[in-house]
Amino acid sequence: MKISQLIPITLAIALVSAPTQSKIMYGDIQVTNIAPTVDFVWQRANQNPPSYPVELARSGLRGCAVLSFNITDSGKTEDIEIVHSLPKSNLGRSSKKMLRKWKWVPVLSESNATAEKRTLRLDFCLGGESIEQAQEMCKQQTKLACR
């Protein structure tokens, strides 16, 4: 897999701005593998898109986080460290909480899976008038530095 290979993840989030009005806000999360970039031992067990954290959506928070972690030989996520997060506080914590729940399965079912060190970048994007626009905005965001 190449570093530029992205797993597009989308979610449309409805936010209530006033009791009589509803506003639809479209969100997208892009997951980019930073390390390793090829020869993965593990892949996510649940390939469904992760949900955009409600608390981030309600506050309109968007940005990116780079996380380093270990996948155990049984497919559990451990030792999660926030390498970079922009903005620093909420996004890093929300990313870490999300990643902690992920389970992993071996890429090759017949292989003896060993522990693996991984680094991922998660880009959280809100905006646009459709899911497609949110995805496109997020793809552009992945090209920016996350520091």
Side-chain angles (χ1 to χ4, degrees):
M1 257 185 219
K2 296 180 181 177
I3 192 168
S4 62
Q5 185 173 5
L6 302 174
I7 304 168
I9 302 169
T10 62
L11 173 66
I13 302 168
L15 299 175
V16 178
S17 58
T20 59
Q21 287 181 295
S22 289
K23 179 183 178 187
I24 303 244
M25 183 169 291
Y26 295 95
D28 185 48
I29 301 173
Q30 294 283 324
V31 179
T32 306
N33 292 303
I34 295 177
T37 56
V38 294
D39 299 328
F40 296 113
V41 176
W42 296 94
Q43 64 185 359
R44 279 187 43 220
N46 181 355
Q47 292 296 313
N48 293 327
S51 299
Y52 203 104
V54 173
E55 65 276 6
L56 297 181
R58 283 190 179 139
S59 64
L61 194 60
R62 57 193 114 199
C64 60
V66 176
L67 303 165
S68 177
F69 59 97
N70 293 320
I71 303 169
T72 67
D73 56 6
S74 62
K76 293 183 181 177
T77 308
E78 291 185 345
D79 305 321
I80 303 169
E81 295 178 26
I82 301 168
V83 179
H84 299 288
S85 179
L86 228 166
K88 294 214 178 271
S89 59
N90 293 351
L91 200 69
R93 284 193 305 265
S94 293
S95 298
K96 193 172 181 178
K97 184 178 175 182
M98 180 188 304
L99 189 59
R100 194 176 289 124
K101 296 177 185 176
W102 290 4
K103 301 287 186 250
W104 302 84
V105 294
V107 172
L108 301 173
S109 58
E110 67 275 355
S111 71
N112 288 333
T114 59
E116 182 176 42
K117 178 97 174 148
R118 295 284 286 272
T119 304
L120 291 178
R121 175 178 167 153
L122 300 173
D123 282 277
F124 296 81
C125 307
L126 290 174
E129 297 187 18
S130 68
I131 291 173
E132 292 78 16
Q133 284 183 356
Q135 288 175 329
E136 189 55 39
M137 289 170 47
C138 215
K139 287 177 185 175
Q140 294 301 317
Q141 180 178 306
T142 63
K143 298 174 184 175
L144 304 174
C146 184
R147 295 184 186 256

